[in-house]
Amino acid sequence: MNGSVGCPFSRAKHTFAVAVVVGASVFCLPTQSAAQAFVYPFLGYNFSGDSGCPEITDCEDKNLNWGVSLGAVGGIVGAELEFAHTDNFFGETIGTKTSVTTIMGHFLLAPKFGPIQPYGLAGLGVIRSKAEVTAGTSVDNGENDFGYDIGGGLMVFFGEHVGARADIRYFRSFSAVDLLDLEVLLGEDKLDFGRFSGGVVFKF
């Protein structure tokens, strides 16, 4: 079992390239005069795909995640940058710790109907998978991969600056993920999962 993470320079280049794409999505925010910036802290629940325990014993599902997004949205289009993190993404087992972190830049199609604003979105960014084996030895392995997500949701504003938001989306990496060659994890599959999230959105 090898704890190496591959060529660090190659991974650094890939991460930097994705960061540029993600950052560009925020700088290309809608220019309509009606566009307003927003901040959206949220709690989420992962489901399906690779989330939760594989078919093994002595594993407990851990589906909760948290994150925050910021961006701007007008009467029709918007853009955002989102960070989200899940501990024990592949379930909680003795001697193994795992996590998945996503950093995504999104474009939103969000028509506005008074205080109600449904939206669809699509994004590109980084999906970082990490596994650490602590039973008897300490081996740490992580991968940064290109990925995408698609989904949609609804924002409902109760006043000029505060509202509620909920959405559902699907994440998938473009390349196969292989963490520590552990059968309890991914093997050589592409990482994919669904997520439902909700929280308060602050507009200013």
Side-chain angles (χ1 to χ4, degrees):
M1 183 164 55
N2 190 353
S4 67
V5 296
C7 176
F9 297 104
S10 177
R11 293 187 181 279
K13 289 179 180 179
H14 289 171
T15 302
F16 177 76
V18 175
V20 170
V21 172
V22 170
S25 72
V26 175
F27 286 110
C28 294
L29 294 173
T31 57
Q32 307 134 282
S33 59
Q36 290 185 286
F38 66 83
V39 176
Y40 169 55
F42 62 84
L43 292 176
Y45 184 89
N46 296 329
F47 63 91
S48 189
D50 297 303
S51 66
C53 293
E55 297 297 324
I56 62 172
T57 59
D58 299 324
C59 178
E60 181 180 356
D61 284 334
K62 297 292 183 180
N63 302 96
L64 294 181
N65 61 73
W66 58 272
V68 63
S69 65
L70 57 90
V73 63
I76 299 177
V77 297
E80 71 175 4
L81 174 66
E82 181 198 90
F83 169 90
H85 179 78
T86 305
D87 285 318
N88 295 310
F89 178 89
F90 303 102
E92 185 175 30
T93 59
I94 298 175
T96 303
K97 296 180 180 179
T98 65
S99 66
V100 168
T101 301
T102 58
I103 303 176
M104 294 286 178
H106 298 119
F107 288 100
L108 288 75
L109 180 62
K112 191 173 183 180
F113 305 97
I116 299 175
Q117 195 160 16
Y119 62 88
L121 61 79
L124 295 171
V126 176
I127 300 178
R128 176 166 178 78
S129 309
K130 186 175 181 181
E132 180 182 358
V133 176
T134 59
T137 184
S138 179
V139 180
D140 195 343
N141 188 206
E143 288 194 12
N144 296 326
D145 295 285
F146 290 97
Y148 70 90
D149 67 334
I150 56 175
L154 181 70
M155 292 182 282
V156 180
F157 292 96
F158 308 117
E160 186 177 355
H161 300 292
V162 180
R165 176 176 171 178
D167 74 17
I168 187 169
R169 62 186 69 183
Y170 170 76
F171 293 82
R172 185 175 177 85
S173 65
F174 286 119
S175 58
V177 177
D178 185 11
L179 294 177
L180 298 177
D181 297 323
L182 295 177
E183 293 181 358
V184 298
L185 300 180
L186 284 179
E188 297 181 350
D189 295 332
K190 296 179 180 180
L191 177 68
D192 74 317
F193 63 97
R195 189 194 77 196
F196 172 80
S197 67
V200 178
V201 58
F202 301 95
K203 188 168 61 173
F204 53 91

